[in-house]
Amino acid sequence: MVTASVGLPRSKYPKPEVLRDFMDRALPAIRAIPGVSLAGATEAIPLGGNHNDSVILAEGYQMKSGESLVSPLNISVTPGYFEALGISMVRGRSFDDRDNEAAPRVIIVDERLAQHFWPNQDPLGAVCTSPGTPRIF
């Protein structure tokens, strides 16, 4: 596995859709390099210390007295990211080309978050709320 960091100037890539266009061109070129079998991209490498202060709530979830808000690590990834890391989906699907700016926003949650909000339930199709937060699939 190889990781690389690419710094793109905000003056040339000021909006998410411009950055996505860059990645839409770069990833196929990277995947075409001899010896490369899988490739994906993210804004923060795993365990890289990225922090955010967003919170997430599941529709219908009743917080318990004294319970803290859930603030999960929230990073954007491209299709192919989880596959390149060898991470398989337990339920649902990974991101793919359907997941673009025009599509409803979706998220992937880990088993810990799924058990927190939906113990002994199927989280597929559940709705989460947060500023701009998507539907879980």
Side-chain angles (χ1 to χ4, degrees), residues 63-94:
M63 290 185 66
K64 296 163 189 68
S65 177
E67 181 180 358
S68 297
L69 291 171
V70 175
S71 182
L73 180 60
N74 177 9
I75 60 171
S76 296
V77 301
T78 65
Y81 175 79
F82 292 109
E83 294 80 2
L85 290 179
I87 299 171
S88 59
M89 296 294 127
V90 174
R91 301 258 305 125
R93 65 173 176 84
S94 191

Side-chain angles (χ1 to χ4, degrees), residues 5-137:
S5 177
V6 177
L8 299 174
R10 289 204 183 258
S11 59
K12 189 171 180 181
Y13 301 92
K15 297 181 180 179
E17 56 271 12
V18 178
L19 181 59
R20 177 156 179 137
D21 183 56
F22 172 85
M23 294 311 303
D24 286 347
R25 291 187 322 272
L27 283 172
I30 292 167
R31 290 178 183 126
I33 296 171
V36 173
S37 56
L38 299 165
T42 182
E43 60 194 5
I45 61 171
L47 306 175
N50 186 31
H51 174 74
N52 68 70
D53 57 2
S54 65
V55 296
I56 189 170
L57 290 171
E59 188 174 85
Y61 179 78
Q62 298 297 314
M63 290 185 66
K64 296 163 189 68
S65 177
E67 181 180 358
S68 297
L69 291 171
V70 175
S71 182
L73 180 60
N74 177 9
I75 60 171
S76 296
V77 301
T78 65
Y81 175 79
F82 292 109
E83 294 80 2
L85 290 179
I87 299 171
S88 59
M89 296 294 127
V90 174
R91 301 258 305 125
R93 65 173 176 84
S94 191
F95 294 125
D96 61 31
D97 291 335
R98 292 174 284 183
D99 303 310
N100 58 40
E101 289 81 18
R105 296 192 51 164
V106 295
I107 62 173
I108 294 173
V109 300
D110 64 14
E111 290 179 87
R112 183 176 175 197
L113 189 65
Q115 278 303 312
H116 177 80
F117 283 138
W118 307 280
N120 305 312
Q121 297 177 40
D122 186 353
L124 294 180
V127 177
C128 289
T129 58
S130 182
T133 301
R135 206 173 180 54
I136 293 178
F137 62 88

